[in-house]
Amino acid sequence: MDEIDRKIACLLAEDARRSLADIGGVVDLSPSAVNERIRRLTASGAIQRFTVEADPVAFGQDVLAFVFVALNYEAGEAAFKDFIAACPNVLDCHHVTGGWSYLIKIRVATLSGVEDFLQQLKERRFLARSETMLALSTVTEKPFKPF
Amino acid sequence: MDEIDRKIACLLAEDARRSLADIGGVVDLSPSAVNERIRRLTASGAIQRFTVEADPVAFGQDVLAFVFVALNYEAGEAAFKDFIAACPNVLDCHHVTGGWSYLIKIRVATLSGVEDFLQQLKERRFLARSETMLALSTVTEKPFKPF
DNA sequence: GATGAAAATGTTCTAAT
DNA sequence: ATTAGAACATTTTCATC
C-alpha cells in the first residue's frame, strides 16, 4: 500500500470504469502494472468491491432515519446482529459510546416503513428503549473513499 | 424504471464489473439492450456513478464518529453546507428532527482527527453546541443499494 | 514487481425491425 | 426499444526482464 496504490484507489472511487491505460497515464505505469495493483488491492480487501452508487429516491426509498437503540440483552446480541446484517433497509449499524448501545441508519419507502422496522425490532424483543431521528434533508451522503 | 431496470441496478450494485452479456442472461435481454438501459439509468441519475467500495481501515481512517451539531445561524447556513460538502472526512450530513440541527458522520485517522474537525467547526463559528458519539464497532455499513 | 505483445473478452456502433 | 453482427477497445495472460 504505497502512494501509487492510494492514487489508483482514488481514481477508481471517482470512476471505476476508467481504463487501465488511463489510470496508468496518471500514475505513470503500464496497464498491466495497474491491473496487477488493482488485483492486489482487491485480494487484500482494501478495495472491497466494484459497485454503483444509486439514488435512493429514484428507487422509491425516500425516507432516511436514524434509530438509537438500547438493546434488551436477553434477546441475544448475536441474533440482533444477524437480523441487522440481513435487513436490506439497514445502511449502517454501529455500537456507539453514550447512552445508547447502537445507532442504526435506515432507508425506507415511507414513514410507515420506519414504524414497520421498529415493530420488527420489538417483535424480536431486541428493544429496551429506542429513539428515532428523521432526516429532513441531506447536505452530503457518500460512502467512504480513500483520499 | 421497471422491474428489469431495478434488477439491472441490483446486479451492478453487487458487482459493477459484470459483463453486459452476463446481465442480459439474467434479465433475458441482449447485451445492447442492457447497455442502453444502463445508459438511461445513468443519464437519469438513478445510477449516480460507477465506483469502488474501499476499506477505511486499510486506508488509515480508523476512527468513525457521529457529531450532533446545533448550528450558530449567524455564521451562515450556506457557508456551513459548503464547508461540509467540501470536507473529505464527512461521509454524511443530514438536517434532522429533534434537539439538534445536523447529524454528521465523519471518518478520521485518529481520535485527534475528531478534535481537529470540531476545532474547524468552532473556528468558522458554525457551532452553538455539539455532541460527539464514537463508533466502537460496526455491525454493518454499506451505501444504499436498490433491492 | 514491471513490461510489452498476443490472445481472449467485452463494449460500442450501425443498420434493420 | 430491441436485435444482430461487425468494428473497436479493453482486459488478461504470459514470457521476459
Side-chain angles (χ1 to χ4, degrees), chain B residues 107-135:
Chain B
R107 281 245 175 227
V108 288
T110 63
L111 266 187
S112 77
V114 178
E115 197 175 7
D116 292 346
F117 178 73
L118 291 170
Q119 185 56 34
Q120 291 195 304
L121 291 179
K122 259 190 227 166
E123 276 168 10
R124 289 172 173 74
R125 310 275 176 228
F126 293 138
L127 242 50
R129 285 174 303 132
S130 81
E131 195 174 302
T132 300
M133 236 178 230
L134 293 173

Side-chain angles (χ1 to χ4, degrees), chain A residues 1 11 17 20 23 34-35 58 72 79 82 88 99 103 115 117 120 128 135:
Chain A
M1 169 70 61
L11 293 168
R17 281 182 148 183
L20 301 174
I23 296 169
V34 174
N35 192 42
N72 169 20
D82 289 348
L103 169 50
E115 196 174 9
F117 179 72
Q120 290 195 305

Side-chain angles (χ1 to χ4, degrees), chain A residues 24-98:
Chain A
V26 177
V27 300
D28 214 48
L29 242 50
S30 73
S32 309
V34 174
N35 192 42
E36 173 61 12
R37 277 170 180 269
I38 293 173
R39 195 196 60 69
R40 278 203 305 275
L41 284 167
T42 307
S44 74
I47 290 177
Q48 293 164 327
R49 62 169 156 180
F50 285 72
T51 185
V52 290
E53 255 177 69
D55 174 16
V57 175
F59 290 91
Q61 301 291 93
D62 294 70
V63 176
L64 172 60
F66 291 92
V67 180
F68 296 87
V69 168
L71 211 61
N72 169 20
Y73 287 92
E74 288 168 28
E77 197 156 1
F80 170 75
K81 288 183 183 178
D82 289 348
F83 170 74
I84 287 297
C87 181
N89 295 298
V90 174
L91 268 40
D92 277 56
C93 177
H94 309 278
H95 191 201
V96 288
T97 60

Side-chain angles (χ1 to χ4, degrees), chain B residues 25-96:
Chain B
V26 177
V27 301
D28 215 48
L29 242 50
S30 74
S32 309
V34 173
N35 194 41
E36 174 61 12
R37 278 170 179 268
I38 293 173
R39 196 196 58 71
R40 276 204 306 276
L41 284 166
T42 307
S44 74
I47 290 177
Q48 293 164 327
R49 63 168 156 183
F50 286 72
T51 185
V52 290
E53 255 176 70
D55 175 16
V57 175
F59 289 91
Q61 301 290 93
D62 293 72
V63 176
L64 173 59
F66 291 91
V67 180
F68 296 87
V69 168
L71 211 61
N72 169 21
Y73 287 92
E74 287 169 30
E77 197 157 3
F80 171 74
K81 288 183 184 179
D82 289 348
F83 170 74
I84 287 296
C87 180
N89 297 102
V90 174
L91 269 40
D92 278 53
C93 177
H94 309 278
H95 192 201
V96 288

